[in-house]
Coordinates of all heavy atoms in Angstrom, one line a residue:
L1 N 56.0 6.3 30.5 CA 54.7 5.7 30.3 C 54.2 4.9 31.5 O 53.1 4.8 31.8 CB 54.7 4.8 29.1 CG 54.8 5.5 27.7 CD1 54.9 4.4 26.6 CD2 53.6 6.3 27.5
Q2 N 55.2 4.4 32.3 CA 54.8 3.6 33.4 C 54.1 4.4 34.5 O 53.4 3.8 35.4 CB 56.0 2.9 34.0 CG 56.7 1.9 33.1 CD 58.0 1.4 33.6 OE1 58.5 1.9 34.6 NE2 58.6 0.5 32.8
H3 N 54.2 5.7 34.5 CA 53.7 6.5 35.5 C 52.4 7.3 35.1 O 52.0 8.2 35.8 CB 54.7 7.5 36.0 CG 56.0 6.9 36.4 ND1 56.1 6.2 37.6 CD2 57.2 6.8 35.8 CE1 57.3 5.7 37.7 NE2 58.0 6.0 36.7
L4 N 51.9 6.9 34.0 CA 50.7 7.6 33.5 C 49.4 7.1 34.2 O 49.3 5.9 34.6 CB 50.5 7.3 32.0 CG 51.5 7.9 31.1 CD1 51.3 7.5 29.6 CD2 51.4 9.4 31.2
P5 N 48.4 8.0 34.3 CA 47.2 7.6 35.0 C 46.4 6.6 34.1 O 46.7 6.5 32.9 CB 46.4 8.9 35.1 CG 47.0 9.8 34.1 CD 48.4 9.4 33.9
Q6 N 45.4 6.0 34.6 CA 44.6 5.0 33.9 C 43.9 5.7 32.7 O 43.5 5.0 31.7 CB 43.5 4.4 34.8 CG 44.1 3.5 35.8 CD 44.5 2.2 35.1 OE1 45.5 2.1 34.4 NE2 43.8 1.1 35.4
N7 N 43.6 7.0 32.8 CA 42.9 7.7 31.7 C 43.8 8.3 30.6 O 43.5 9.2 29.9 CB 42.0 8.8 32.3 CG 42.9 9.9 32.9 OD1 44.0 9.7 33.3 ND2 42.3 11.1 33.0
A8 N 45.0 7.7 30.5 CA 46.0 8.1 29.4 C 45.8 7.2 28.2 O 45.6 6.0 28.3 CB 47.4 8.0 30.0
H9 N 45.9 7.8 27.0 CA 45.8 7.1 25.8 C 47.0 7.5 24.9 O 47.2 8.7 24.6 CB 44.5 7.6 25.1 CG 43.3 7.4 25.9 ND1 42.5 6.2 25.9 CD2 42.7 8.2 26.8 CE1 41.5 6.4 26.8 NE2 41.6 7.6 27.3
L10 N 47.7 6.5 24.5 CA 48.8 6.7 23.6 C 48.3 6.4 22.1 O 47.9 5.3 21.8 CB 49.9 5.7 24.0 CG 51.2 5.7 23.2 CD1 51.9 7.1 23.2 CD2 52.2 4.7 23.7
I11 N 48.4 7.4 21.3 CA 47.9 7.3 19.9 C 49.0 7.5 18.9 O 49.7 8.5 18.9 CB 46.8 8.4 19.7 CG1 45.7 8.4 20.8 CG2 46.2 8.3 18.3 CD1 44.8 7.2 20.8
D12 N 49.1 6.6 18.0 CA 50.1 6.6 16.9 C 49.2 7.1 15.7 O 48.3 6.5 15.3 CB 50.6 5.2 16.6 CG 51.6 5.1 15.5 OD1 51.5 5.9 14.5 OD2 52.5 4.3 15.6
V13 N 49.6 8.3 15.2 CA 48.8 8.9 14.1 C 49.4 8.6 12.7 O 49.0 9.3 11.7 CB 48.6 10.4 14.3 CG1 47.9 10.7 15.6 CG2 50.0 11.2 14.3
R14 N 50.3 7.6 12.6 CA 50.8 7.2 11.3 C 49.8 6.4 10.6 O 48.7 6.0 11.1 CB 52.1 6.5 11.5 CG 53.2 7.3 12.1 CD 54.4 6.5 12.3 NE 54.2 5.4 13.2 CZ 54.9 4.3 13.3 NH1 55.9 4.1 12.5 NH2 54.6 3.3 14.1
T15 N 50.1 6.0 9.3 CA 49.2 5.1 8.6 C 49.2 3.7 9.2 O 50.1 3.3 10.0 CB 49.7 5.0 7.1 OG1 51.0 4.3 7.1 CG2 49.7 6.3 6.4
A16 N 48.2 2.9 8.8 CA 48.2 1.5 9.4 C 49.4 0.7 9.0 O 49.9 -0.1 9.8 CB 46.9 0.8 8.8
E17 N 49.9 0.9 7.8 CA 51.1 0.2 7.3 C 52.3 0.6 8.1 O 53.1 -0.3 8.5 CB 51.4 0.5 5.8 CG 50.3 0.0 4.9 CD 49.1 0.8 4.8 OE1 49.1 2.0 5.2 OE2 48.0 0.3 4.3
E18 N 52.5 1.9 8.4 CA 53.6 2.3 9.3 C 53.5 1.7 10.7 O 54.5 1.3 11.3 CB 53.6 3.8 9.4 CG 54.1 4.5 8.1 CD 53.9 6.0 8.2 OE1 52.8 6.5 8.4 OE2 55.0 6.7 8.1
Y19 N 52.3 1.8 11.2 CA 52.0 1.3 12.6 C 52.4 -0.2 12.7 O 53.0 -0.6 13.6 CB 50.5 1.5 12.9 CG 50.0 1.0 14.2 CD1 50.2 1.7 15.4 CD2 49.3 -0.2 14.3 CE1 49.7 1.2 16.6 CE2 48.9 -0.7 15.5 CZ 49.1 0.0 16.6 OH 48.6 -0.5 17.8
E20 N 51.9 -1.0 11.7 CA 52.1 -2.4 11.7 C 53.6 -2.8 11.6 O 54.0 -3.8 12.1 CB 51.3 -3.1 10.7 CG 49.8 -3.1 11.0 CD 48.9 -3.6 9.9 OE1 49.4 -4.2 8.9 OE2 47.7 -3.5 10.0
S21 N 54.4 -1.9 11.0 CA 55.8 -2.2 10.8 C 56.6 -2.0 12.1 O 57.7 -2.4 12.2 CB 56.4 -1.3 9.7 OG 56.5 0.0 10.1
G22 N 56.0 -1.3 13.1 CA 56.6 -1.1 14.4 C 56.0 0.1 15.1 O 56.0 1.1 14.6
H23 N 55.5 -0.2 16.3 CA 54.9 0.9 17.1 C 55.3 0.7 18.6 O 55.7 -0.3 19.0 CB 53.4 1.0 16.9 CG 52.7 -0.3 17.3 ND1 52.5 -1.3 16.4 CD2 52.1 -0.7 18.5 CE1 51.8 -2.3 17.0 NE2 51.6 -1.9 18.3
V24 N 55.0 1.8 19.4 CA 55.3 1.7 20.8 C 54.2 0.8 21.4 O 53.0 0.9 21.1 CB 55.2 3.1 21.4 CG1 55.4 3.1 23.0 CG2 56.3 4.0 20.8
S25 N 54.6 -0.1 22.3 CA 53.6 -1.0 23.0 C 52.5 -0.1 23.7 O 52.8 0.8 24.4 CB 54.3 -1.8 24.0 OG 53.4 -2.8 24.6
G26 N 51.3 -0.5 23.5 CA 50.2 0.2 24.1 C 49.6 1.2 23.2 O 48.5 1.8 23.6
A27 N 50.2 1.6 22.1 CA 49.7 2.6 21.3 C 48.5 2.1 20.4 O 48.6 1.1 19.8 CB 50.8 3.2 20.4
K28 N 47.5 2.9 20.3 CA 46.4 2.7 19.4 C 46.7 3.4 18.1 O 47.3 4.5 18.1 CB 45.1 3.2 20.0 CG 44.7 2.5 21.3 CD 43.4 3.2 21.8 CE 43.1 2.7 23.2 NZ 42.2 3.5 23.9
N29 N 46.3 2.9 17.0 CA 46.5 3.5 15.7 C 45.3 4.2 15.2 O 44.3 3.6 15.0 CB 47.0 2.5 14.7 CG 47.3 3.1 13.3 OD1 46.9 2.5 12.3 ND2 48.0 4.1 13.3
I30 N 45.4 5.6 15.1 CA 44.4 6.4 14.5 C 45.1 7.4 13.6 O 45.8 8.3 14.1 CB 43.5 7.2 15.5 CG1 42.9 6.2 16.5 CG2 42.4 8.0 14.8 CD1 42.1 6.9 17.6
S31 N 45.1 7.1 12.3 CA 45.9 8.0 11.4 C 45.4 9.4 11.5 O 44.2 9.7 11.8 CB 45.8 7.5 10.0 OG 44.5 7.5 9.5
V32 N 46.3 10.3 11.2 CA 46.0 11.8 11.3 C 44.8 12.2 10.4 O 44.0 13.0 10.8 CB 47.2 12.7 11.0 CG1 47.6 12.6 9.5 CG2 47.0 14.1 11.4
D33 N 44.6 11.5 9.3 CA 43.5 11.8 8.4 C 42.1 11.3 9.0 O 41.1 11.6 8.5 CB 43.7 11.4 7.0 CG 43.9 9.9 6.8 OD1 44.4 9.3 7.8 OD2 43.7 9.4 5.7
Q34 N 42.2 10.4 10.0 CA 41.0 9.9 10.6 C 40.7 10.4 12.0 O 39.8 10.0 12.7 CB 41.0 8.4 10.6 CG 41.1 7.8 9.2 CD 41.1 6.2 9.2 OE1 41.8 5.7 10.1 NE2 40.5 5.6 8.3
I35 N 41.6 11.2 12.5 CA 41.6 11.6 13.9 C 40.3 12.2 14.3 O 39.7 11.9 15.4 CB 42.8 12.4 14.3 CG1 43.1 12.4 15.8 CG2 42.7 13.9 13.9 CD1 43.9 11.3 16.3
K36 N 39.8 13.1 13.5 CA 38.5 13.8 13.8 C 37.3 12.9 13.9 O 36.4 13.2 14.8 CB 38.3 15.0 12.8 CG 39.2 16.1 13.0 CD 38.8 17.2 12.0 CE 39.7 18.5 12.2 NZ 39.3 19.5 11.3
T37 N 37.3 11.9 13.1 CA 36.1 11.0 13.1 C 36.2 9.9 14.1 O 35.2 9.4 14.7 CB 35.8 10.4 11.7 OG1 37.0 9.7 11.3 CG2 35.5 11.5 10.7
K38 N 37.4 9.4 14.4 CA 37.6 8.2 15.3 C 37.9 8.5 16.7 O 37.7 7.7 17.6 CB 38.7 7.3 14.7 CG 38.2 6.6 13.4 CD 39.1 5.5 13.0 CE 38.5 4.8 11.8 NZ 39.2 3.6 11.4
I39 N 38.5 9.7 17.0 CA 38.9 10.0 18.4 C 37.7 10.1 19.4 O 37.9 9.6 20.5 CB 39.8 11.2 18.5 CG1 40.7 11.2 19.8 CG2 39.0 12.5 18.4 CD1 41.7 10.2 19.8
P40 N 36.6 10.6 19.0 CA 35.5 10.6 19.9 C 35.0 9.3 20.5 O 34.6 9.1 21.6 CB 34.3 11.3 19.1 CG 35.0 12.1 18.1 CD 36.2 11.2 17.7
T41 N 35.2 8.2 19.7 CA 34.9 6.9 20.1 C 36.0 6.3 20.9 O 35.8 5.7 22.0 CB 34.6 5.9 18.9 OG1 33.5 6.5 18.2 CG2 34.2 4.5 19.4
A42 N 37.3 6.5 20.5 CA 38.4 6.0 21.2 C 38.7 6.7 22.5 O 39.1 6.0 23.5 CB 39.7 6.1 20.3
V43 N 38.4 8.0 22.6 CA 38.6 8.7 23.8 C 37.4 9.7 24.0 O 37.4 10.8 23.6 CB 39.9 9.6 23.7 CG1 40.2 10.3 25.0 CG2 41.1 8.7 23.3
P44 N 36.4 9.1 24.6 CA 35.1 9.9 24.8 C 35.3 11.1 25.8 O 34.6 12.1 25.7 CB 34.1 8.9 25.2 CG 34.8 7.7 25.6 CD 36.2 7.7 25.0
E45 N 36.2 10.9 26.8 CA 36.3 11.9 27.8 C 37.3 13.0 27.4 O 38.5 12.7 27.2 CB 36.8 11.3 29.1 CG 35.7 10.4 29.8 CD 34.5 11.2 30.1 OE1 34.6 12.3 30.6 OE2 33.4 10.6 30.0
K46 N 36.9 14.2 27.2 CA 37.7 15.3 26.8 C 38.8 15.7 27.8 O 39.7 16.4 27.4 CB 36.9 16.5 26.4 CG 35.8 16.1 25.3 CD 35.9 17.0 24.2 CE 34.8 16.6 23.2 NZ 35.0 16.9 21.9
T47 N 38.7 15.2 29.0 CA 39.8 15.5 30.0 C 40.8 14.4 30.2 O 41.7 14.5 31.0 CB 39.1 15.8 31.4 OG1 38.3 14.7 31.7 CG2 38.3 17.1 31.3
D48 N 40.6 13.3 29.4 CA 41.6 12.2 29.5 C 43.0 12.7 28.9 O 43.0 13.7 28.1 CB 41.2 11.0 28.7 CG 40.2 10.2 29.5 OD1 39.8 10.5 30.6 OD2 39.8 9.1 28.9
V49 N 44.0 12.1 29.3 CA 45.4 12.4 28.7 C 45.6 11.7 27.4 O 45.4 10.5 27.3 CB 46.5 12.0 29.7 CG1 47.9 12.3 29.2 CG2 46.3 12.6 31.1
I50 N 45.9 12.5 26.4 CA 46.2 11.9 25.1 C 47.6 12.2 24.7 O 48.0 13.4 24.7 CB 45.2 12.5 24.0 CG1 43.8 12.2 24.3 CG2 45.6 12.0 22.6 CD1 42.8 12.8 23.4
I51 N 48.4 11.2 24.4 CA 49.8 11.3 24.0 C 49.9 10.9 22.5 O 49.5 9.8 22.2 CB 50.7 10.4 24.9 CG1 50.5 10.8 26.3 CG2 52.2 10.6 24.4 CD1 51.0 9.8 27.3
L52 N 50.3 11.8 21.7 CA 50.4 11.6 20.3 C 51.8 11.4 19.8 O 52.7 12.1 20.3 CB 49.8 12.8 19.5 CG 48.4 13.2 19.8 CD1 48.1 14.5 19.2 CD2 47.4 12.1 19.3
Y53 N 52.0 10.5 18.8 CA 53.3 10.5 18.1 C 53.1 10.0 16.7 O 52.1 9.5 16.3 CB 54.3 9.6 18.9 CG 54.1 8.1 18.7 CD1 54.7 7.4 17.6 CD2 53.3 7.4 19.6 CE1 54.5 6.0 17.5 CE2 53.1 6.0 19.5 CZ 53.7 5.4 18.4 OH 53.5 4.0 18.3
C54 N 54.1 10.3 15.8 CA 54.1 9.8 14.5 C 55.5 9.4 14.1 O 56.2 8.8 14.9 CB 53.6 11.0 13.5 SG 54.6 12.5 13.6
R55 N 55.9 9.6 12.9 CA 57.3 9.3 12.5 C 58.3 10.3 13.0 O 59.3 10.0 13.6 CB 57.4 9.0 11.0 CG 58.8 8.4 10.6 CD 59.0 8.4 9.1 NE 59.1 9.7 8.5 CZ 60.2 10.4 8.6 NH1 61.3 10.0 9.2 NH2 60.3 11.6 8.0
S56 N 58.0 11.6 12.6 CA 59.0 12.6 12.9 C 58.5 13.7 13.8 O 59.3 14.5 14.3 CB 59.5 13.2 11.6 OG 58.5 13.9 10.9
G57 N 57.2 13.8 14.0 CA 56.6 14.9 14.8 C 55.7 15.8 14.1 O 54.9 16.5 14.7
N58 N 55.7 15.8 12.8 CA 54.9 16.7 12.0 C 53.4 16.3 12.1 O 52.5 17.2 12.4 CB 55.3 16.7 10.5 CG 54.5 17.7 9.7 OD1 54.2 18.8 10.1 ND2 54.2 17.3 8.5
R59 N 53.0 15.1 11.9 CA 51.6 14.7 11.9 C 51.1 14.7 13.3 O 49.9 15.0 13.5 CB 51.5 13.3 11.3 CG 51.6 13.3 9.8 CD 51.6 11.9 9.2 NE 52.9 11.2 9.4 CZ 53.1 10.0 9.0 NH1 52.2 9.3 8.4 NH2 54.3 9.5 9.2
S60 N 51.9 14.4 14.3 CA 51.4 14.4 15.7 C 51.1 15.9 16.1 O 50.1 16.1 16.8 CB 52.4 13.8 16.7 OG 53.6 14.5 16.6
A61 N 51.8 16.8 15.6 CA 51.6 18.3 15.8 C 50.2 18.7 15.2 O 49.4 19.3 15.7 CB 52.7 19.1 15.3
Q62 N 50.0 18.2 13.9 CA 48.8 18.5 13.2 C 47.6 17.9 14.0 O 46.5 18.5 14.2 CB 48.8 17.9 11.8 CG 49.7 18.5 10.8 CD 49.8 17.7 9.5 OE1 48.9 17.0 9.2 NE2 50.9 18.0 8.8
A63 N 47.7 16.6 14.4 CA 46.7 15.9 15.2 C 46.4 16.6 16.5 O 45.2 16.8 16.9 CB 47.0 14.5 15.4
G64 N 47.4 17.1 17.1 CA 47.2 17.9 18.4 C 46.4 19.1 18.2 O 45.5 19.4 19.0
K65 N 46.6 19.8 17.1 CA 45.8 21.0 16.8 C 44.3 20.6 16.6 O 43.4 21.3 17.0 CB 46.4 21.8 15.6 CG 47.7 22.5 15.9 CD 48.2 23.1 14.7 CE 49.6 23.7 15.1 NZ 50.3 24.2 13.9
M66 N 44.1 19.5 15.9 CA 42.8 19.0 15.6 C 42.1 18.7 16.9 O 40.9 19.0 17.1 CB 42.8 17.8 14.7 CG 43.2 18.1 13.3 SD 43.2 16.6 12.3 CE 44.4 17.0 11.0
L67 N 42.8 18.0 17.8 CA 42.2 17.6 19.1 C 41.8 18.8 19.9 O 40.8 18.9 20.6 CB 43.1 16.7 19.8 CG 43.3 15.3 19.2 CD1 44.3 14.5 20.0 CD2 42.0 14.6 19.0
E68 N 42.7 19.8 19.9 CA 42.4 21.1 20.6 C 41.1 21.7 20.1 O 40.3 22.1 20.8 CB 43.5 22.1 20.3 CG 44.2 22.5 21.6 CD 45.4 23.4 21.3 OE1 45.3 24.3 20.4 OE2 46.5 23.2 21.9
E69 N 41.0 21.7 18.7 CA 39.7 22.3 18.1 C 38.5 21.5 18.5 O 37.4 22.0 18.6 CB 39.9 22.3 16.6 CG 40.9 23.3 16.1 CD 41.2 23.1 14.6 OE1 40.6 22.2 13.9 OE2 42.1 23.8 14.1
L70 N 38.7 20.2 18.8 CA 37.5 19.3 19.2 C 37.2 19.4 20.7 O 36.3 18.8 21.2 CB 37.8 17.8 18.8 CG 37.9 17.5 17.4 CD1 38.4 16.1 17.2 CD2 36.5 17.7 16.7
G71 N 38.1 20.2 21.4 CA 37.8 20.4 22.8 C 38.5 19.5 23.8 O 38.3 19.6 25.0
Y72 N 39.5 18.8 23.3 CA 40.3 18.0 24.3 C 41.2 18.9 25.0 O 41.8 19.8 24.5 CB 41.1 16.9 23.5 CG 40.1 15.8 23.0 CD1 39.5 15.8 21.8 CD2 39.9 14.7 23.9 CE1 38.6 14.9 21.4 CE2 39.0 13.7 23.5 CZ 38.4 13.8 22.3 OH 37.5 12.8 21.9
K73 N 41.4 18.5 26.3 CA 42.1 19.4 27.2 C 43.6 19.1 27.5 O 44.4 20.0 27.7 CB 41.4 19.5 28.6 CG 39.9 19.8 28.5 CD 39.7 21.2 28.0 CE 38.3 21.6 28.0 NZ 38.0 22.6 27.0
V74 N 43.9 17.8 27.6 CA 45.3 17.4 27.9 C 45.9 16.6 26.8 O 45.7 15.4 26.6 CB 45.3 16.5 29.2 CG1 46.7 16.2 29.7 CG2 44.5 17.2 30.3
I75 N 46.7 17.3 25.9 CA 47.2 16.7 24.7 C 48.8 16.9 24.8 O 49.3 18.0 25.0 CB 46.7 17.4 23.5 CG1 45.2 17.4 23.4 CG2 47.3 16.8 22.2 CD1 44.6 18.5 22.6
L76 N 49.5 15.8 24.7 CA 50.9 15.8 24.8 C 51.5 15.3 23.4 O 51.1 14.2 23.0 CB 51.4 14.9 25.9 CG 50.9 15.2 27.3 CD1 51.3 14.2 28.3 CD2 51.3 16.6 27.7
D77 N 52.3 16.0 22.8 CA 52.9 15.6 21.6 C 54.3 15.0 21.9 O 55.2 15.7 22.2 CB 53.0 16.9 20.6 CG 53.6 16.5 19.3 OD1 54.0 15.4 19.1 OD2 53.6 17.4 18.4
A78 N 54.4 13.7 21.7 CA 55.6 13.0 22.0 C 56.6 13.0 20.8 O 57.7 12.5 20.9 CB 55.3 11.6 22.4
G79 N 56.2 13.7 19.7 CA 57.1 13.8 18.6 C 57.1 12.6 17.7 O 56.1 12.0 17.4
G80 N 58.3 12.1 17.3 CA 58.4 11.1 16.3 C 59.0 9.8 16.9 O 59.9 9.8 17.8
I81 N 58.6 8.7 16.4 CA 59.1 7.4 16.8 C 60.5 7.2 16.4 O 61.2 6.3 16.9 CB 58.2 6.2 16.2 CG1 58.5 4.9 17.0 CG2 58.3 6.1 14.7 CD1 57.4 3.8 16.8
I82 N 61.0 8.0 15.5 CA 62.4 7.9 15.1 C 63.4 8.2 16.2 O 64.5 7.8 16.2 CB 62.8 8.8 13.8 CG1 62.5 10.2 14.1 CG2 62.0 8.3 12.6 CD1 62.9 11.2 13.0
D83 N 62.9 8.9 17.2 CA 63.6 9.2 18.4 C 63.4 8.2 19.6 O 64.0 8.4 20.6 CB 63.3 10.6 18.9 CG 63.8 11.7 17.9 OD1 64.8 11.5 17.3 OD2 63.0 12.7 17.7
Y84 N 62.5 7.3 19.4 CA 62.1 6.4 20.5 C 63.2 5.3 20.6 O 63.6 4.7 19.7 CB 60.8 5.7 20.1 CG 60.2 4.8 21.2 CD1 59.9 5.2 22.4 CD2 60.1 3.4 20.9 CE1 59.4 4.3 23.4 CE2 59.6 2.5 21.8 CZ 59.3 3.0 23.1 OH 58.8 2.1 24.0
K85 N 63.6 5.1 21.9 CA 64.7 4.1 22.1 C 64.3 2.8 22.6 O 65.0 1.8 22.7 CB 65.7 4.7 23.2 CG 66.2 6.1 22.8 CD 67.2 6.0 21.7 CE 67.8 7.4 21.4 NZ 67.8 7.8 20.1
G86 N 63.0 2.6 22.9 CA 62.5 1.4 23.4 C 62.2 0.4 22.4 O 62.3 0.6 21.2
E87 N 61.8 -0.8 22.8 CA 61.4 -1.9 21.9 C 60.1 -1.6 21.2 O 59.2 -1.0 21.8 CB 61.3 -3.2 22.7 CG 61.1 -4.4 21.8 CD 61.1 -5.7 22.6 OE1 61.7 -5.7 23.7 OE2 60.5 -6.7 22.1
Q88 N 60.0 -1.9 19.9 CA 58.7 -1.7 19.2 C 58.0 -3.0 19.0 O 58.6 -4.1 18.9 CB 59.0 -1.0 17.8 CG 59.6 0.4 18.0 CD 59.8 1.0 16.7 OE1 59.1 0.7 15.7 NE2 60.8 1.9 16.6
I89 N 56.7 -2.9 18.9 CA 55.8 -4.0 18.7 C 55.4 -4.0 17.2 O 55.1 -3.0 16.6 CB 54.5 -3.9 19.5 CG1 54.8 -3.8 21.0 CG2 53.5 -5.0 19.2 CD1 55.3 -5.0 21.6
K90 N 55.4 -5.2 16.6 CA 55.0 -5.3 15.1 C 53.6 -5.9 15.1 O 53.2 -6.6 16.0 CB 56.0 -6.1 14.4 CG 57.4 -5.5 14.2 CD 58.2 -6.2 13.2 CE 59.6 -5.7 13.2 NZ 59.8 -4.3 12.8
G91 N 52.9 -5.5 14.0 CA 51.5 -6.0 13.8 C 50.4 -5.0 14.2 O 50.7 -3.8 14.5
S92 N 49.2 -5.4 14.1 CA 48.1 -4.5 14.3 C 47.6 -4.4 15.7 O 46.7 -3.6 16.0 CB 46.9 -4.9 13.4 OG 46.5 -6.2 13.7
E93 N 48.0 -5.3 16.6 CA 47.6 -5.2 18.0 C 48.4 -4.2 18.8 O 49.7 -4.2 18.7 CB 47.7 -6.6 18.7 CG 46.7 -7.6 18.1 CD 45.2 -7.1 18.3 OE1 44.9 -6.7 19.4 OE2 44.5 -7.2 17.3
P94 N 47.8 -3.4 19.7 CA 48.5 -2.4 20.4 C 49.5 -3.0 21.4 O 50.6 -2.4 21.6 CB 47.5 -1.6 21.2 CG 46.2 -1.9 20.5 CD 46.4 -3.3 19.8
G95 N 49.2 -4.1 22.1 CA 50.0 -4.6 23.2 C 49.7 -3.7 24.5 O 49.0 -2.7 24.4
P96 N 50.2 -4.2 25.6 CA 50.0 -3.4 26.8 C 50.8 -2.2 26.9 O 51.9 -2.1 26.4 CB 50.4 -4.4 27.9 CG 51.5 -5.2 27.3 CD 51.1 -5.3 25.8
L97 N 50.3 -1.2 27.6 CA 51.1 0.0 28.0 C 52.2 -0.5 28.9 O 52.0 -1.4 29.7 CB 50.3 1.1 28.7 CG 49.4 1.9 27.8 CD1 48.5 2.8 28.7 CD2 50.2 2.8 26.9
P98 N 53.4 0.0 28.8 CA 54.4 -0.4 29.8 C 54.0 -0.3 31.2 O 53.4 0.7 31.6 CB 55.6 0.6 29.5 CG 55.3 1.0 28.0 CD 53.8 1.0 27.9
G99 N 54.2 -1.3 32.0 CA 53.8 -1.4 33.4 C 52.4 -1.9 33.6 O 52.0 -2.1 34.7
Q100 N 51.7 -2.2 32.5 CA 50.3 -2.7 32.6 C 50.3 -4.1 32.0 O 50.7 -4.2 30.8 CB 49.3 -1.8 31.9 CG 49.2 -0.4 32.6 CD 48.1 0.4 31.9 OE1 47.6 0.1 30.8 NE2 47.9 1.6 32.5
Y101 N 49.8 -5.0 32.7 CA 49.7 -6.4 32.2 C 48.3 -6.8 32.2 O 47.6 -6.9 33.2 CB 50.6 -7.3 33.0 CG 52.0 -6.8 33.1 CD1 52.5 -6.1 34.2 CD2 52.9 -7.1 32.0 CE1 53.7 -5.7 34.3 CE2 54.2 -6.6 32.1 CZ 54.6 -5.9 33.2 OH 55.9 -5.4 33.2
K102 N 47.8 -7.1 31.0 CA 46.4 -7.5 30.8 C 46.3 -8.8 30.1 O 47.1 -9.1 29.3 CB 45.6 -6.4 30.0 CG 45.5 -5.1 30.8 CD 44.7 -4.1 30.0 CE 44.7 -2.8 30.8 NZ 44.0 -1.7 30.1

C-alpha cells in the first residue's frame, strides 16, 4: 500500500458492523450491496485504482464484477481480511493509508 499512487482507493466491501470491528488503515467502507450507488461519488474517476477486500474474498469478487460493469478500469481484488497480517483499525474512521500522514 505504501507504493500506491495518489489516485488509489482502498475499499472494504463488508457490512458497517464488520468494518467497525476491524479494517485495514485507509480503507473506506462501501458494502457490496451499496457499491453501485455509492462508488460513483467515492471514486468519480473511472481510471483510478480501486483495491477491494472483504472477509474471505467472495464479496470483493462480486464487487469487482459490478465495478467492471460500471466502467471502472483498474480494479484489484485483494481477497479477504482473514489473510491480512497487518494491524487493523477499529471504528468507523478509515485512518490514513500506510505511508500517508494527514
